[in-house]
Amino acid sequence: MIEFRVDTGSGVPPYRQLVHQVEHALRLGQLQVGDRLPTVKEVARNLVINPNTVLKAYRELEHKGLVKGRPGQGTFIERGLIGLPAEKQAELRAGLESWLTEAHRAGMDADGIAALVATVLAESRLEERT
């Protein structure tokens, strides 16, 4: 089961953070069709946020066709997102972990790494469009 987190300092609304976390878990194969999401009450209590925030996230996920609420039973994953096979993800993760170790040894901190990755990602997306 997914364990949600909310970063109040990120500038991203909490409901969007919940939506992104479900989408990421689907892409990485951590959530599968048929899996049950935590109840609205559980998420609100654990994160100390308003239940309406969780409802908004679950409604957006339902609107996207990713989840379906079943009265009295909970909210369940209806469809996945296309991602890489688990073996390929594991291979890429190992390469990324190796790169992160090298970046740390070179003296980069987490903010520097995040900035570099964000820049390269943005540049690669620009190249995809042209």
Side-chain angles (χ1 to χ4, degrees), residues 51-95:
N52 289 329
T53 300
V54 183
L55 280 171
K56 186 173 183 178
Y58 281 17
R59 271 186 260 136
E60 183 168 326
L61 290 165
E62 193 161 5
H63 178 72
K64 291 181 172 196
L66 298 175
V67 304
K68 180 82 170 160
R70 299 180 195 157
Q73 297 180 356
T75 303
F76 294 84
I77 301 296
E78 282 289 301
R79 72 173 177 86
L81 292 172
I82 297 172
L84 294 174
E87 306 80 38
K88 186 62 177 175
Q89 284 187 33
E91 178 185 325
L92 291 170
R93 181 183 178 116

Side-chain angles (χ1 to χ4, degrees), residues 1 8 19 33-35 41 44 53 57 59 67 77 91 106 110 112-113:
M1 182 178 291
T8 56
V19 169
V33 172
D35 286 349
K41 286 181 182 180
T53 300
R59 271 186 260 136
V67 304
I77 301 296
E91 178 185 325
I113 290 170

Side-chain angles (χ1 to χ4, degrees), residues 88-101:
K88 186 62 177 175
Q89 284 187 33
E91 178 185 325
L92 291 170
R93 181 183 178 116
L96 180 57
E97 288 172 347
S98 174
W99 181 86
L100 286 170
T101 299

Side-chain angles (χ1 to χ4, degrees), residues 15-77:
Y15 86 94
R16 297 286 301 149
Q17 292 182 46
L18 300 178
V19 169
H20 290 152
Q21 288 171 48
V22 169
E23 291 172 338
H24 289 172
L26 287 168
R27 282 189 181 94
L28 296 174
Q30 297 166 341
L31 283 174
Q32 305 290 325
V33 172
D35 286 349
R36 182 181 156 285
L37 293 179
T39 67
V40 170
K41 286 181 182 180
E42 290 170 339
V43 176
R45 182 180 60 245
N46 291 341
L47 298 178
V48 191
I49 60 175
N50 190 310
N52 289 329
T53 300
V54 183
L55 280 171
K56 186 173 183 178
Y58 281 17
R59 271 186 260 136
E60 183 168 326
L61 290 165
E62 193 161 5
H63 178 72
K64 291 181 172 196
L66 298 175
V67 304
K68 180 82 170 160
R70 299 180 195 157
Q73 297 180 356
T75 303
F76 294 84
I77 301 296

